[in-house]
């Protein structure tokens, strides 16, 4: 089996590695270099050192985008994880013990999981268009249509700068919950049933069962979920671009770094400046992942 | 919710699961021997169903509403959101199909995703197999290079990627889109499949070698079939990820409308000033983008849920 080992290895790796280097690694590395230039994409790039980075923090659209990421980073994972944990607990443990003695979910839990997960398979861009109809500012909108029936004045979900970002985060939560329900369900089902039964025999109520038994044993999965949502919180491009009024509006109240990057490239041809934003985004993502891993590190419970 | 703190009974699991629905909660959690606990449990179970049903409605209603709106007239769409169309018009579906070219975009998406997923799986499995099963100098470096791609935000690469695509003259071509889809799907594919190939027993491959099978033959005829469960999960992951792509198509095939893929087309149709004020057609277009996905989802929901959450669970 030694024969032809290296030709085989090279033959199998060559195409994927070249493809990956050209389209992924190369661009990532170059981005750091371009970030130090002023470049419109046609003339030769002109090196300006760290000027782009200094300009960034005086750029109002960019700084408000940074603030939005902070808010999203706090609210998106929190809302999604809390709702998902609640539902997955109901679906997996809330139904009590079945014939064979295993803990099980409430009735129709399989059906609920299918429905909840559904938004996950729909493209975010398509959800953006769908939620334009949900949020329309008069009675023709699904939400305002309901509010009109109970006599509440229409809410400007996407036009009110104070509300717009929350409305958009709402869509992302709406979409994400099902995924985490399924994820946590998988985590919960890997917890041995006798752990629950032992706790139940010792007189644990549902609250204790949830906070003292399920949650600690689910810690790893929860951490994964938090990281996924945190990384999602640094993106949000498609939903903001498609759903928000005037792409990031009103008055930049929903803009995000990714959208600013896109705008700088395709609207103003400020390629160097856009790359500088990309570098900042990169360090934000990295810091987030590193912090999360550090903060959530605790002894693993083996079972 | 409060009530469940009172469930203190210590009896063994009581009612069979298919007892009456109302009573079913009594079997919940801790058991439910005492009547008070049974009632509390029943209330809990009832509330659970309310909460679950409300969320299920929240998910389904906007989607169903969109289907219904596709049968309305423009005026009806701008009226009360919660009335059904006075008469059901099918013509918006026809306009969405022919004027807005939804059929074309659907086919484009199918075409691009089929080829790029196939290539992703082939190239990803090849790379992962070599990285998992062969020791050679630089293998760790290459593995790390692939895996690091999972951590970077795509937006960092946006400018140079755009330039690379232009310089290779694949801007506004299917080839460009497919190559980029494959390249950006490789990190997770390689990461996942490397872990998967490592778990497969070595003895089978060794036996194949002894029987005279070459490296290629061992890979395609022995290892690939053995890796099927992993391959299926990650194929689904890639199909859905690529099918739903929005950013990559809008930077790689922005100009050539004939090559647009579905999410890009729908978003553009919707933003382009209300699509000639033809809202029913937009709703029909949206429905046509959603319906096939829902059908496929319902058929394969188990595999899809497993595929999308693969890699997140150990």
């Amino acid at each position: 089996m030694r024969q032809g080992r290296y030709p085989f290895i090279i033959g199998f790796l060559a195409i994927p590695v070249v493809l990956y280097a050209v389209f992924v690694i190369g661009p990532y590395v170059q981005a750091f270099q371009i970030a130090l230039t002023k470049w419109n994409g046609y003339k030769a790039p002109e090196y300006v050192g760290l000027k782009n980075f200094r300009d960034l923090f005086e750029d109002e659209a960019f700084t408000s985008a940074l603030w939005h990421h902070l808010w999203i980073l706090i609210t998106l994972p929190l809302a999604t994880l809390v709702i998902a944990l609640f539902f997955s607990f109901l679906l997996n443990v809330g139904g009590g013990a079945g014939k064979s003695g295993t803990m099980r979910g409430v009735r129709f839990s399989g059906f609920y999981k299918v429905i909840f997960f559904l938004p996950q398979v729909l493209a975010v861009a398509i959800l953006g268009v769908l939620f334009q109809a949900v949020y329309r500012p008069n009675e023709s909108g699904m939400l305002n249509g309901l509010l009109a029936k109970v006599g509440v004045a229409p809410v400007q979900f996407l036009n009110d700068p104070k509300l717009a970002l929350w409305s958009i985060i709402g869509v992302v939560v709406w979409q994400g919950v099902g995924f985490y329900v399924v994820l946590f369900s998988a985590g919960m089902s890997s917890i041995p049933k006798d752990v629950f039964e032992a706790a139940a025999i010792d007189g644990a109520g549902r609250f204790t069962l949830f906070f003292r038994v399920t949650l600690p044993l689910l810690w790893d999965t929860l951490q994964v979920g938090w990281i996924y949502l945190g990384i999602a919180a640094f993106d949000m491009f498609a939903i903001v671009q498609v759903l928000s009024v005037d792409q990031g509006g009103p008055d930049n109240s929903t803009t995000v770094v990714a959208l600013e990057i896109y705008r700088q490239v395709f609207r103003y041809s400020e390629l160097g400046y856009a790359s500088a934003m990309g570098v900042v985004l990169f360090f934000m993502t990295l810091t987030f992942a590193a912090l999360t891993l550090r903060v959530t590190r605790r002894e693993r419970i083996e079972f | 919710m409060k009530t469940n703190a009172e469930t203190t009974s210590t009896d063994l699991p009581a009612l069979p699961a298919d007892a009456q629905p109302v009573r079913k909660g009594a079997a919940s959690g801790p058991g439910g021997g005492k009547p008070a606990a049974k009632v509390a449990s029943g209330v809990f179970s009832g509330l659970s169903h309310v909460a679950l049903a409300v969320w299920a409605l929240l998910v389904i209603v906007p989607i169903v509403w969109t289907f219904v709106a596709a049968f309305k007239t423009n005026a009806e769409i701008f009226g009360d959101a919660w009335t059904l169309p006075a008469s059901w018009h099918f013509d918006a579906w026809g306009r969405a199909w022919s004027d807005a070219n939804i059929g074309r975009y659907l086919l484009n998406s199918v075409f691009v995703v089929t080829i790029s997923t196939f290539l992703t799986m082939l190239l990803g499995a090849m790379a992962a197999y070599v990285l998992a099963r062969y020791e050679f100098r630089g293998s760790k470096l290459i593995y790390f290079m692939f895996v690091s791609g999972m951590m970077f935000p795509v937006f960092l690469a946006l400018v140079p990627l755009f330039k690379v695509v232009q310089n290779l003259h694949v801007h506004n071509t299917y080839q460009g889109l497919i190559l980029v889809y494959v390249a950006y799907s490789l990190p997770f594919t390689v990461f996942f499949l490397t872990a998967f190939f490592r778990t497969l027993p070595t003895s089978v491959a060794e036996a194949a070698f002894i029987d005279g099978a070459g490296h290629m033959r061992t890979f395609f005829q022995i290892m690939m079939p053995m890796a099927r469960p992993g391959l299926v999960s990650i194929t689904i992951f890639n199909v859905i990820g690529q099918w739903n792509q929005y950013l990559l198509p809008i930077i790689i095939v922005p100009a050539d409308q004939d090559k647009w893929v579905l999410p890009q087309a729908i978003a553009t149709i919707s933003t382009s000033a209300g699509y000639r004020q033809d809202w029913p057609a937009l709703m029909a277009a949206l429905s046509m983008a959603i319906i096939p996905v829902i059908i496929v989802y319902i058929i394969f929901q188990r595999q899809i849920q497993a595929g999308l959450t693969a890699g997140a669970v150990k």
Side-chain angles (χ1 to χ4, degrees):
Chain A
M1 72 174 275
R2 296 277 140 208
Q3 267 175 349
R5 196 163 161 272
Y6 277 101
F8 173 74
I9 291 174
I10 293 167
F12 261 37
L13 275 178
I15 301 175
V17 168
V18 167
L19 196 63
Y20 186 67
V22 169
F23 288 101
V24 184
I25 295 293
Y28 278 131
V29 175
Q30 278 177 55
F32 286 93
Q33 191 190 356
I34 298 172
L36 304 173
T37 67
K38 183 172 173 53
W39 189 29
N40 65 7
Y42 296 100
K43 290 184 200 150
E46 173 197 338
Y47 278 86
V48 293
L50 296 174
K51 182 178 180 299
N52 287 330
F53 292 93
R54 281 195 297 274
D55 291 350
L56 272 183
F57 292 93
E58 283 158 24
D59 180 338
E60 226 170 279
F62 183 75
T63 46
S64 56
L66 287 186
W67 278 110
H68 298 152
H69 282 297
L70 183 68
W71 290 122
I72 298 168
L73 195 55
I74 297 169
T75 54
L76 173 68
L78 207 62
T80 311
L81 295 179
V82 167
I83 300 174
L85 269 175
F86 174 61
F87 286 137
S88 47
F89 184 71
L90 295 185
L91 290 174
N92 293 285
V93 189
K99 272 178 199 160
S100 54
T102 47
M103 303 297 292
R104 52 154 71 206
V106 295
R107 274 190 159 212
F108 313 119
S109 55
F111 168 77
Y112 284 126
K113 266 183 232 169
V114 174
I115 299 288
F116 288 6
F117 195 84
L118 172 65
Q120 203 59 43
V121 296
L122 302 177
V124 179
I126 284 171
L127 291 186
V129 181
L130 181 69
F131 271 82
Q132 282 169 353
V134 173
Y135 285 144
R136 238 181 257 150
N138 49 45
E139 61 158 2
S140 69
M142 282 175 238
L143 281 174
N144 277 318
L146 281 182
L147 291 177
K149 296 227 183 310
V150 290
V152 177
V155 178
Q156 305 294 307
F157 291 103
L158 295 169
N159 295 322
D160 182 344
K162 286 203 187 74
L163 265 183
L165 185 64
W166 305 116
S167 308
I168 290 174
I169 294 174
V171 181
V172 184
V173 174
W174 178 86
Q175 183 188 27
V177 162
F179 177 87
Y180 294 96
V181 166
V182 169
L183 190 64
F184 295 151
S185 298
M188 284 183 193
S189 64
S190 74
I191 300 174
K193 59 176 190 193
D194 36 316
V195 174
F196 288 113
E197 279 155 12
I201 289 167
D202 289 347
R206 278 202 189 77
F207 271 115
T208 323
L209 216 51
F210 179 73
F211 286 105
R212 295 283 179 78
V213 181
T214 314
L215 211 51
L217 290 174
L218 211 58
W219 195 253
D220 278 356
T221 321
L222 207 61
Q223 184 183 339
V224 169
W226 186 272
I227 292 180
Y228 274 29
L229 282 161
I231 289 170
F234 287 117
D235 185 340
M236 301 271 287
F237 171 75
I239 191 75
V240 172
Q241 210 211 23
V242 177
L243 180 58
S244 67
V245 182
D246 199 21
Q247 305 201 352
D251 287 336
N252 283 330
S253 63
T254 56
T255 195
V256 286
V257 173
L259 188 67
E260 289 304 312
I261 293 176
Y262 182 82
R263 261 194 246 181
Q264 291 298 335
V265 177
F266 295 102
R267 208 179 279 178
Y268 310 115
S269 292
E270 289 281 1
L271 272 51
Y273 193 53
S275 288
M277 289 184 178
V279 170
V280 174
L281 189 67
F282 166 72
F283 282 111
M284 291 197 309
T285 317
L286 208 65
T287 312
F288 168 78
L291 276 180
T292 305
L293 287 174
R294 200 164 170 85
V295 171
T296 55
R297 193 175 55 184
R298 49 160 80 181
E299 267 179 51
R300 285 199 44 189
I301 302 164
E302 296 290 341
F303 51 84
Chain B
M1 277 291 304
K2 273 258 156 66
T3 50
N4 62 50
E6 291 151 29
T7 350
T8 50
S9 157
T10 57
D11 284 22
L12 289 168
L15 292 176
D18 25 14
Q20 298 171 4
V22 189
R23 274 304 176 88
K24 205 211 149 222
S28 306
K34 292 175 191 168
K38 268 189 188 175
V39 173
S41 229
V43 170
F44 176 86
S45 180
L47 288 176
S48 315
H49 277 294
V50 171
L52 291 165
V54 165
W55 191 268
L57 279 179
L58 277 179
V59 169
I60 293 176
V61 167
I63 297 169
V64 172
W65 189 93
T66 306
F67 298 155
V68 174
F71 295 100
K72 291 183 176 178
T73 62
N74 238 346
E76 280 172 331
I77 286 184
F78 280 96
D80 182 350
W82 296 96
T83 46
L84 290 174
S87 59
W88 296 70
H89 306 273
F90 277 89
D91 44 323
W93 296 76
R95 290 199 303 279
W97 186 263
S98 52
D99 301 356
N101 273 323
I102 290 303
R104 160 109 220 182
Y105 302 132
L106 254 171
L107 280 181
N108 287 352
S109 273
V110 171
F111 172 73
V112 171
V113 171
T114 306
I115 296 184
S116 59
T117 306
F118 174 76
L119 287 176
T120 305
M121 293 314 298
L122 182 68
L123 297 174
M126 280 161 50
Y129 176 66
V130 171
L131 291 172
R133 288 307 186 103
Y134 290 79
E135 274 189 26
F136 58 96
R137 224 194 295 175
S139 77
K140 285 231 167 63
L141 181 75
I142 294 175
Y143 176 74
F144 177 75
M145 192 183 85
F146 274 116
V147 171
S148 65
M150 291 195 301
M151 295 184 292
F152 299 141
V154 188
F155 285 89
L156 176 60
L158 196 61
V159 172
L161 174 65
F162 180 64
K163 282 288 154 193
V164 167
V165 169
Q166 274 187 334
N167 291 339
L168 294 174
H169 303 292
V170 286
H171 197 229
N172 284 317
T173 64
Y174 286 132
Q175 294 93 302
L177 197 56
I178 290 168
L179 287 173
V180 171
Y181 274 9
V182 174
Y184 280 84
S185 307
L186 279 177
F188 189 70
T189 309
V190 170
F191 167 74
F192 185 90
L193 288 179
T194 306
F196 202 87
F197 279 124
R198 280 200 187 118
T199 65
L200 297 181
T202 47
S203 52
V204 181
E206 273 158 17
F209 278 127
I210 291 165
D211 288 349
H215 296 281
M216 284 287 243
R217 207 183 145 105
T218 309
F219 174 71
F220 283 107
Q221 294 195 339
I222 315 256
M223 298 313 279
M224 287 288 264
M226 273 168 75
R228 230 189 103 193
L231 291 172
V232 169
S233 284
I234 205 72
T235 303
I236 288 167
F237 181 90
N238 283 324
V239 167
I240 290 176
Q242 295 177 2
W243 181 268
N244 289 341
Q245 248 317 316
Y246 174 67
L247 173 71
L248 295 174
I250 67 172
I251 63 171
I252 289 160
V253 288
D256 196 342
Q257 204 163 336
D258 282 347
K259 299 200 172 80
W260 280 359
V261 293
L262 205 52
Q264 171 187 27
I266 296 280
T268 316
I269 290 168
S270 131
T271 43
S272 67
Y275 181 53
R276 295 180 226 147
Q277 297 302 314
D278 191 353
W279 295 93
L282 174 63
M283 290 301 144
L286 200 55
S287 308
M288 284 189 232
I290 294 175
I291 290 171
V293 176
I294 292 191
I295 293 173
V296 172
Y297 172 65
I298 289 172
I299 299 173
F300 297 107
Q301 40 92 11
R302 230 168 251 285
Q303 292 88 327
I304 287 175
Q305 291 188 359
L308 281 183
T309 49
V313 213
K314 351 163 240 186

